[in-house]
Amino acid sequence: MADVLPLVEARLRSALGEPDARAAVTFLGTDRIEVLRFQEGDIVRYATLGMSARPMADPTAMVADPVAGPRAELVLSVRTGRADTDKVLRPLAVLGASPQVEGVVVAPGASLDVGEALWPGAPFTSVLVAEPGGLVEDLELDAPLDPVRFLPLLPMTPNEAAFKRVHGAQALQERWLTHGTDLRDPARRSVPLE
């Protein structure tokens, strides 16, 4: 199982460069989740490392398959200098551990909520999981293992999260696009929802 992680880290490095910081969090009864930080110009990216060590299991399955099942890591991109976003490391590790802790399968279109600000003063407590394949390409693994998908996270304000619950992820993304929302702005306001 652990053999997957060196391949995942190599893929992250090839796509994002060398990490300039890393932190590790271990939750009781779970594998260690690391968060790597990559700096590129005025953008800082945080990526989990460890979530893909095991496949995510269908919460309705009687027994979790130790080999087959979706694998993923999470990637958050924000602009530097406007907030203390390095405090997102623990909330991001919590999200990375959620498949093991809560038995959820993290997939595009899902909402993940940490129940507190993502970083001090952040107007966001949750994220929308976006489609993979843009920033970091999927990592194909030898059969029968599923590929590792690198899922971008888009911070949501509580109002945006409520809108998404009612109208769906696509409607929220269209609203962001219509209003030219800078989703990397760590201090942005909620998009107009009426």
Side-chain angles (χ1 to χ4, degrees):
M1 283 186 292
D3 295 341
V4 170
L5 296 183
L7 300 173
V8 171
E9 185 169 355
R11 175 57 55 93
L12 286 168
R13 287 173 185 265
S14 69
L16 305 176
E18 287 299 311
D20 64 356
R22 66 193 310 147
V25 179
T26 304
F27 302 97
L28 187 62
T30 67
D31 294 331
R32 171 177 148 135
I33 302 287
E34 288 189 83
V35 179
L36 309 182
R37 185 181 72 188
F38 301 88
Q39 185 84 38
E40 182 184 337
D42 71 335
I43 302 293
V44 63
R45 292 187 171 91
Y46 302 94
T48 61
L49 178 63
M51 184 175 163
S52 62
R54 300 172 189 257
M56 292 181 274
D58 179 345
T60 62
M62 293 295 286
V63 178
D65 189 321
V67 177
R71 294 174 188 259
E73 297 290 354
L74 308 175
V75 181
L76 174 69
S77 300
V78 291
R79 295 197 185 286
T80 60
R82 299 206 55 204
D84 186 10
T85 57
D86 280 350
K87 299 285 197 248
V88 77
L89 299 177
R90 183 166 177 71
L92 202 51
V94 167
L95 296 179
S98 62
Q100 288 183 58
V101 174
E102 299 172 24
V104 298
V105 175
V106 178
S111 300
L112 302 174
D113 195 316
V114 295
E116 62 185 26
L118 291 175
W119 51 82
F124 319 107
T125 60
S126 62
V127 293
L128 175 64
V129 181
E131 290 291 333
L135 188 61
V136 184
E137 288 183 33
D138 291 354
L139 172 64
E140 296 295 329
L141 301 173
D142 293 337
L145 303 180
D146 287 23
V148 176
R149 302 169 81 197
F150 297 88
L151 302 172
L153 300 180
L154 308 174
M156 293 188 293
T157 66
N159 287 345
E160 290 169 342
F163 180 90
K164 185 256 175 193
R165 278 192 297 277
V166 173
H167 301 285
Q170 185 64 38
L172 177 58
Q173 289 176 311
E174 287 171 8
R175 192 63 65 125
W176 282 336
L177 192 59
T178 300
H179 291 276
T181 306
D182 180 2
L183 297 173
R184 294 177 176 171
D185 180 351
R188 74 173 178 82
R189 290 198 150 95
S190 183
V191 70
L193 298 172
E194 295 179 19

